[in-house]
Amino acid sequence: MSAHSLIVLATLAAATAHAQPTLTTTTVTIAGTVTDALAVDATGVGNGAVLISHIVGGARRFTRVSSAGALAAGPPVPTSAVVAGSCGGVVHVVDERGLVALGAKAAGDVVVIAGAPLFGVADPTALPLVDLCPGDQERLLFVAGGVMAATVAGDGTVVDVRLLPFQHRARAYTGKPGRSLRGERPYAAALSLYAPHAMSLDVDADGDADLVLVHEARAVVFVRASDGRLSPTGQERDLFALARPSDVTFAQDVDVRATPVRGGLAVTLAAGAVPERTDVVVLQGDAASPLSRVVRRRVVAGLGQLVGDSIVARVDTSLVSLSGVVLSGRVSLELSPLEQAAGRDEVVWGSLPTVADVRQGRIDGALPVALDVDGDGKGDIVDLGEPGRAVWRRVEADRLVEVASTAVPRAELARALPGNRVVFIVGRAGKAGTAVALLRARTDRARDTTVARPRRE
């Protein structure tokens, strides 16, 4: 081998070492205490951002954090605002006027949908962020009779407003004690109202997005007609009846959750406070009967939960496993693909140890986040189970492999900006404010290609 070849190989080895994938963080400090955060414009490359709702000196505030970590103050929060969201990059609130776009025009706020909202009393200590525009075409206002839906054109002009009927649920409480050892509660009566999750997905396979409203085990589907407007009549689906296996009898205490996935709706059924079994099913349909049949089912021993739209995380709820949690302070999340090959043994990629707070009945870390971190077209996993540490993992040969790790704030919540390949982590509030970290991968691929030269002897 010539001296020239040795120089080229040495250069290649040095460049490869430099190109080792790493995780980098950009950390910013938000004043006060963050109460909620919402990923906005998450699918537009370069346009992703985080809308932060926080409390500063007893006042509610908005701050927008770009995918690069730049901070921008949001519009003032109306005193009567009950919930907020972001539609087309503009902050919207629900207040006594209806659905309002804050500062949408030079003249000031724009009332998109006028009407009395379902939630009429604001909480001065928090401002929840919800999805008020599940798709680019709709703006939603929850009212007593259902949901007011405004269909908008590409320039944001409202072309149609109609009431979509939906029966909301409420829970009533009294301040008087029952069989409790505590005395009377510090109020006479209370009423909790529950608005549904709003999801935009193509349920009839006609190429456009429809609207699905989900609350507990009910889903109401509003199909989009050929004129681009939603049908005023919904088709109701009993998710529990659809997803329940015919050979199993569930008790009354069943947790039913729905998540949009590619080509349908995923429904998880977990029975009891400590489930021994979780069924994960995918519902699909056609134009005549959307979301009407089960096309896939996974049965998980223990507690199962979807991570992203294609990964199942399982917690072993056997007595032996739960006893180990008490002693170790850790819960193992076993990850596996939602889709399993028929006729083969079940594929399990591996387990992620997650710190648990047994006394408070919660995990002290955070659930993993699934997204394509490095843009290679394959799904990755950001493991946040160890407080203060993030680990980038990928699946290779049906097993989890650690790629890189870095220090991050102890997470209160974590979300993904898929279009920007960024995970944002909201930490715990401190004296100086709340730390928000934006986590991304660095691979230096361009440097890799520059050293891939033909070798000469």
Side-chain angles (χ1 to χ4, degrees):
M1 182 178 293
S2 68
H4 182 77
S5 297
L6 290 174
I7 293 174
V8 171
L9 288 176
T11 304
L12 179 62
T16 302
H18 180 78
Q20 181 69 28
T22 59
L23 282 176
T24 63
T25 57
T26 301
T27 304
V28 297
T29 301
I30 304 296
T33 302
V34 173
T35 59
D36 208 350
L38 180 70
V40 296
D41 306 327
T43 57
V45 176
N47 296 324
V50 183
L51 180 63
I52 300 289
S53 174
H54 55 125
I55 306 295
V56 183
R60 300 181 295 177
R61 296 284 187 267
F62 290 125
T63 293
R64 184 183 176 94
V65 185
S66 75
S67 59
L71 300 181
V77 179
T79 57
S80 61
V82 180
V83 296
S86 179
C87 302
V90 177
V91 177
H92 287 54
V93 298
V94 173
D95 64 14
E96 58 190 5
R97 296 169 289 179
L99 178 65
V100 182
L102 298 182
K105 293 185 178 180
D109 301 342
V110 174
V111 178
V112 181
I113 305 175
L118 176 67
F119 304 111
V121 180
D123 182 353
T125 67
L127 184 60
L129 299 177
V130 299
D131 202 346
L132 300 173
C133 46
D136 295 334
Q137 295 177 271
E138 265 74 49
R139 309 287 186 261
L140 304 180
L141 173 66
F142 299 107
V143 297
V147 180
M148 295 293 296
T151 301
V152 299
D155 60 357
T157 304
V158 176
V159 297
D160 181 67
V161 178
R162 60 183 58 187
L163 175 65
L164 306 179
F166 185 90
Q167 185 178 2
H168 299 292
R169 294 287 192 261
R171 301 289 187 271
Y173 310 89
T174 178
K176 300 175 182 178
R179 291 176 292 178
S180 172
L181 294 176
R182 297 178 180 271
E184 289 190 359
R185 302 180 182 94
Y187 54 82
L191 181 68
S192 297
L193 293 172
Y194 300 92
H197 286 291
M199 304 175 185
S200 178
L201 63 154
D202 184 5
V203 297
D204 54 1
D206 65 350
D208 58 19
D210 309 296
L211 180 66
V212 181
L213 302 178
V214 177
H215 175 249
E216 294 179 340
R218 293 182 303 138
V220 181
V221 179
F222 296 92
V223 176
R224 192 176 305 280
S226 58
D227 61 359
R229 293 168 170 81
L230 294 173
S231 168
T233 303
Q235 303 180 48
E236 185 162 341
R237 298 286 180 262
D238 185 336
L239 299 180
F240 178 67
L242 282 170
R244 179 181 55 187
S246 58
D247 59 338
V248 176
T249 300
F250 281 103
Q252 293 296 317
D253 184 15
V254 179
D255 183 20
V256 181
R257 301 191 182 189
T259 305
V261 297
R262 290 188 297 270
L265 191 70
V267 180
T268 59
L269 281 74
V274 185
E276 296 181 0
R277 165 186 174 137
T278 302
D279 284 70
V280 184
V281 304
V282 176
L283 302 178
Q284 290 181 350
D286 50 31
S289 186
L291 299 184
S292 59
R293 65 178 185 273
V294 175
V295 298
R296 190 179 307 120
R297 180 184 298 273
R298 276 284 309 281
V299 179
V300 178
L303 174 63
Q305 183 170 336
L306 275 180
V307 175
D309 61 2
S310 60
I311 300 173
V312 176
R314 183 185 83 94
V315 176
D316 186 353
T317 59
S318 66
L319 289 177
V320 173
S321 177
L322 294 180
S323 299
V325 171
V326 175
L327 295 175
S328 67
R330 277 169 166 73
V331 173
S332 291
L333 295 178
E334 181 185 87
L335 300 187
S336 62
L338 174 60
E339 294 191 31
Q340 298 277 350
R344 295 182 55 188
D345 293 338
E346 184 172 290
V347 173
V348 177
W349 293 329
S351 297
L352 305 180
T354 304
V355 175
D357 188 331
V358 178
R359 288 182 178 273
Q360 296 189 20
R362 68 171 193 179
I363 61 173
D364 200 32
L367 289 175
V369 178
L371 79 163
D372 182 5
V373 175
D374 55 354
D376 63 355
K378 301 177 182 179
D380 301 296
I381 296 165
V382 177
D383 173 14
L384 300 168
E386 190 75 30
R389 184 169 181 259
V391 182
W392 170 15
R393 303 181 190 273
R394 63 163 60 112
V395 179
E396 295 180 358
D398 286 339
R399 66 187 184 92
L400 290 175
V401 176
E402 180 176 334
V403 180
S405 64
T406 189
V408 294
R410 295 171 65 90
E412 278 296 315
L413 63 88
R415 298 288 187 271
L417 291 170
N420 293 268
R421 302 195 294 273
V422 170
V423 176
F424 74 86
I425 300 168
V426 177
R428 299 173 186 180
K431 294 181 179 179
T434 304
V436 174
L438 295 111
L439 184 70
R440 53 171 48 85
R442 179 178 177 182
T443 57
D444 288 340
R445 288 181 183 165
R447 185 177 295 273
D448 287 346
T449 58
T450 58
V451 298
R453 298 190 296 259
R455 174 178 141 181
R456 294 188 302 172
E457 295 293 337

